[in-house]
Amino acid sequence: MGHATIDTDELGTLVQVLIADGYQVIGPTMTGSAIELAELTDAGQLPAGWGVETGPGHYRLHRREDDAMFAHSAGPQSWKTFLHPPRRKLWSSDTDGSFQGADEETPRYALLGVRGCDLAAIGKLRDVLGGGTYPDSSFQARHQALFIVAVNCTEPGEVCFCASMGTGPAAGPGADLTLTEMSDHFLVEAGTDAGRELLARIDHRDATTDETGAARSALEMAAHRMGRAMPEVDLRALLAGSRESSHWEDVAERCLTCGNCTMVCPTCFCTTTEDVTDLTGDHAERWQHWSSCFELDFSHVHGGSVRSSGESRYRQWLTHKLSTWYDQFGGSGCVGCGRCIAWCPVGIDLTEEISRLAESAHD
Amino acid sequence: MTEPMLPVGYRVIDRTVETHDSATIQLEPIDRSLDRFRPGQFAMMYAYGVGEVPISISGIGDDGTLTHTIRSVGAVSRALHDARPGTVIGVRGPFGTTWAPEGAAGNDLVVVAGGVGLAPLRPVVLSALAARSAYSRVVVIAGARTPDEFLFRAELDAWTARDDLDVELTVDQPAAGWDGTVGFVTEPLARLRLDPERTVAFLCGPEPMMRFSARVLLRAQMPSDRIHVSLERSMKCGIALCGHCQLGPLLVCRDGPVVTYTVAEPLLTVPEL
């Protein structure tokens, strides 16, 4: 089946059909001064006419001249908030030695507006949390229940570099439906049977060759409008060989070790646990919550933290993301969304740090 | 279905004080048993209401009991160390790689332990003794800060008395009543006459102790893949999901704790990795 075309208004029907099918539709919406991901009950909640201006340590909304709904690059949240929630109960126990798993009802999410970078990130989370000997059963259940509506990205931002990471601007495989937003219509492509069935229930027609051609050229132009590019070096080897580079000290002079980059990163998956008891001491629970390799306690063993300096913690983060992720999970941990650049309070740009590391490796 | 993040209830049935800060506890399953542990593997052990830490197995019972030797160094290990018979402990496991002593059959076996590092190695020695004829020479070198800080003291004495086992005990500093060796484990290790291509070494203790011991063995021409070490890092899940135990390319809970020195050497020589 080729591409279909739907009118812009028909997106409202898409949302309603998903809701009728029992999905919780999650998509971008304007909340205060950022575009966040939240539950949508109506396509009118999409941020029509809003664009985003990003830069290192910079994120501002601006009014666009058109009413485009997906013409904003990545916001502070990513879809991991829904697939791998920030905080979750693992179990509860009474003193008799029985442990009851947290019986959570698996939410059925329909993710609306997943860009190529973020679709790749969901795949990376699946490899990490769902691909090993002991998968995270909560993640797996949420992931299996997903309906994904991707959007091809025609409005990359200043901090974006997905083209150089091979994850965008066109959304890769894995989505049920993929949209390309044009001025007065959407081009739609179904990637799964579930997607085809859904498309059949909304008003659509076959796309003309002019329409598919226009969408293709919009994507090609987007690939050339990326604000950044990851340097074309062997990242895995560069970082494996840079463990003792003096450049880490240079980064550490700027890095606040705040962990923002890890919170906004769509693939950072680390968690820690928290054990609590009630006042009687007869009932205990364990909770899991997001954690960051920038926290001093993260590497704590008796006697202290393995990585107490800021330079060692930045090195851990960047090396893991771009190099040791290959060793551990068979690919890169970075998808080029640029969130870590935009939300770094001091504007550290990993593509720039890689350039500097590559230069110093040549010295 | 077993949920690997869900602890299984075990009850402490025996507790032996080893040193001023270490104790061995033996646990039996309350309802359900975990799979059988292998030497070198670890359990995530939960002290009720306090928290959970990774602890290597120090004894594997044929009757489904688990033996763990715990040094009290933090809130959780203190609670586990203090656990009296009857106490319920939540246990998850077995996790991680094994020393796989059976793979060393036909070779000389050299076991080098520093301090509480003897605990994860005890199952290696016990399994070697249980299949003694499978190995050529079996050497155990154990070091402690003081004579009072040896784990399994009675067992060590029994091992020393055997003529099919070479045991060398050494303490860091001279002490009253100690007429044995004084110095680091590297000294008796350096005196061993090794057949480097027919020896397998298992090292466990503080990282500097393992590095210096490995260096002695490498100097004696032992290939680094015949030297095995056990690594320690922070762990919250034990099953490669939480990210805490990273050491360069390794997830120590999954790729370790036991790795060859070929793998460990480039990682243990970089500070704060």
Side-chain angles (χ1 to χ4, degrees):
Chain A
M1 185 171 134
H3 289 82
T5 296
I6 63 169
D7 288 341
T8 303
D9 291 347
E10 203 53 19
L11 202 62
T13 314
L14 176 71
V15 171
Q16 295 315 318
V17 168
L18 287 167
I19 292 172
D21 283 355
Y23 284 107
Q24 230 179 310
V25 178
I26 310 293
T29 188
M30 217 171 67
T31 322
S33 49
I35 289 172
E36 295 189 4
L37 302 173
E39 182 168 2
L40 306 180
T41 52
D42 188 304
Q45 292 164 275
L46 291 164
W50 288 95
V52 175
E53 174 195 301
T54 55
H58 182 86
Y59 179 95
R60 293 286 183 279
L61 294 184
H62 66 81
R63 199 68 226 186
R64 290 174 56 87
E65 286 170 3
D66 59 21
D67 283 328
M69 295 180 229
F70 299 103
H72 50 84
S73 53
Q77 284 167 305
S78 71
W79 308 95
K80 80 173 175 185
T81 300
F82 302 93
L83 292 172
H84 182 48
R87 193 173 152 76
R88 174 167 87 81
K89 186 163 95 171
L90 294 177
W91 50 254
S92 59
S93 174
D94 297 310
T95 43
D96 61 358
S98 65
F99 294 83
Q100 294 86 38
D103 247 341
E104 62 170 29
E105 201 180 316
T106 301
R108 289 181 73 221
Y109 290 127
L111 309 181
L112 174 60
V114 181
R115 262 163 252 284
C117 54
D118 283 349
L119 188 62
I122 291 171
K124 293 191 185 296
L125 286 180
R126 182 200 56 217
D127 293 344
V128 173
L129 299 174
T133 309
Y134 303 103
D136 175 334
S137 54
S138 163
F139 172 87
Q140 271 193 317
R142 286 164 186 252
H143 184 266
Q144 279 161 10
L146 282 183
F147 189 93
I148 299 180
V149 183
V151 287
N152 286 322
C153 181
T154 51
E155 287 285 339
E158 186 56 33
V159 297
C160 293
F161 56 101
C162 69
S164 60
M165 298 307 290
T167 62
D176 295 292
L177 290 175
T178 301
L179 309 176
T180 310
E181 185 171 28
M182 305 306 284
S183 57
D184 60 354
H185 65 272
F186 284 98
L187 212 66
V188 190
E189 193 178 10
T192 63
D193 287 343
R196 276 180 278 279
E197 281 163 29
L198 195 118
L199 182 58
R201 291 159 65 195
I202 60 177
D203 198 11
H204 70 280
R205 56 181 169 78
D206 289 346
T208 65
T209 40
D210 280 358
E211 285 170 337
T212 52
R216 198 179 312 117
S217 62
L219 270 174
E220 276 164 18
M221 286 194 311
H224 294 105
R225 278 212 319 277
M226 296 275 145
R228 279 168 168 63
M230 182 60 85
E232 287 183 23
V233 295
D234 181 342
L235 295 168
R236 188 181 180 182
L238 173 67
L239 286 154
S242 298
R243 284 177 188 145
E244 302 194 79
S245 166
S246 59
H247 184 63
W248 302 118
E249 288 170 45
D250 180 275
V251 186
E253 282 179 18
R254 291 169 280 139
C255 175
L256 308 177
T257 66
C258 69
N260 265 16
C261 48
T262 58
M263 295 294 109
V264 297
C265 176
T267 68
C268 270
F269 60 86
C270 290
T271 54
T272 192
T273 51
E274 187 182 310
D275 288 289
V276 294
T277 48
D278 66 3
L279 284 173
T280 65
D282 293 336
H283 180 79
E285 292 183 349
R286 173 169 297 153
W287 288 72
Q288 171 183 285
H289 61 81
W290 287 356
S291 173
S292 168
C293 54
F294 283 96
E295 293 162 13
L296 192 51
D297 272 359
F298 188 83
S299 61
H300 186 87
V301 286
H302 74 89
S305 290
V306 173
R307 292 185 283 273
S308 55
S309 71
E311 60 191 85
S312 68
R313 281 178 272 156
Y314 188 85
R315 175 183 65 190
Q316 165 61 29
W317 178 68
L318 194 66
T319 305
H320 186 220
K321 193 66 46 186
L322 299 175
S323 177
T324 50
W325 201 294
Y326 282 93
D327 301 287
Q328 295 167 4
F329 308 112
S332 168
C334 177
V335 296
C337 70
R339 286 183 177 89
C340 58
I341 306 171
W343 297 93
C344 174
V346 295
I348 294 174
D349 171 354
L350 78 171
T351 65
E352 184 59 31
E353 302 309 327
I354 288 297
S355 297
R356 306 264 300 275
L357 278 168
E359 281 164 26
S360 58
H362 282 300
D363 291 344
Chain B
M1 189 193 86
T2 59
E3 169 57 67
M5 286 301 279
L6 201 59
V8 171
Y10 274 68
R11 186 172 276 112
V12 177
I13 52 169
D14 190 39
R15 177 176 185 270
T16 310
V17 174
E18 300 287 354
T19 70
H20 69 96
D21 63 359
S22 302
T24 296
I25 55 174
Q26 193 182 11
L27 304 114
E28 69 173 12
I30 295 175
D31 292 322
R32 186 170 77 75
S33 293
L34 294 167
D35 290 345
R36 189 179 170 89
F37 282 66
R38 289 182 291 160
Q41 290 190 301
F42 68 94
M44 295 299 293
M45 301 186 73
Y46 169 71
Y48 196 85
V50 186
E52 192 184 50
V53 288
I55 306 279
S56 290
I57 192 96
S58 67
I60 305 158
D62 287 326
D63 52 357
T65 60
L66 305 176
T67 302
H68 289 275
T69 302
I70 295 139
R71 185 166 159 231
S72 169
V73 290
V76 182
S77 60
R78 186 179 316 124
L80 294 170
H81 166 275
D82 291 349
R84 296 300 194 269
T87 309
V88 172
I89 304 285
V91 189
R92 299 190 290 122
F95 298 137
T97 54
T98 160
W99 297 109
E102 60 282 357
N107 288 269
D108 287 347
L109 209 59
V110 175
V111 171
V112 188
V116 77
L118 184 58
L121 285 167
R122 179 173 176 263
V124 171
V125 179
L126 293 178
S127 77
L129 290 176
R132 183 61 192 86
S133 58
Y135 305 90
S136 305
R137 197 157 58 128
V138 179
V139 180
V140 177
I141 300 174
R145 264 179 294 200
T146 67
D148 293 337
E149 291 185 63
F150 282 106
L151 305 177
F152 320 124
R153 190 57 206 265
E155 199 165 39
L156 281 177
D157 289 342
W159 291 350
T160 306
R162 292 178 71 127
D163 51 16
D164 58 354
L165 199 60
D166 298 341
V167 179
E168 285 263 18
L169 305 184
T170 176
V171 298
D172 292 356
Q173 291 138 15
W178 177 257
D179 52 10
T181 314
V182 175
F184 296 119
V185 288
T186 45
E187 294 169 30
L189 187 61
R191 285 197 299 271
L192 284 182
R193 272 186 311 219
L194 294 171
D195 182 348
E197 295 291 344
R198 289 196 59 255
T199 300
V200 175
F202 297 115
L203 319 179
C204 190
E207 282 183 15
M209 170 252 148
M210 293 194 287
R211 278 203 313 274
F212 285 112
S213 298
R215 195 181 294 173
V216 168
L217 296 170
L218 294 174
R219 220 180 285 144
Q221 306 303 319
M222 254 185 85
S224 60
D225 63 357
R226 292 184 152 265
I227 304 168
H228 303 261
V229 297
S230 180
L231 303 170
E232 182 185 11
R233 282 296 179 272
S234 174
M235 289 178 191
K236 297 295 175 186
C237 72
I239 52 175
L241 297 176
C242 80
H244 284 256
C245 66
Q246 290 181 63
L247 173 60
L250 306 180
L251 287 164
V252 171
C253 71
R254 178 189 77 181
D255 308 318
V258 179
V259 297
T260 66
Y261 202 61
T262 315
V263 171
E265 184 173 24
L267 307 175
L268 293 183
T269 47
V270 180
E272 294 193 275
L273 198 65

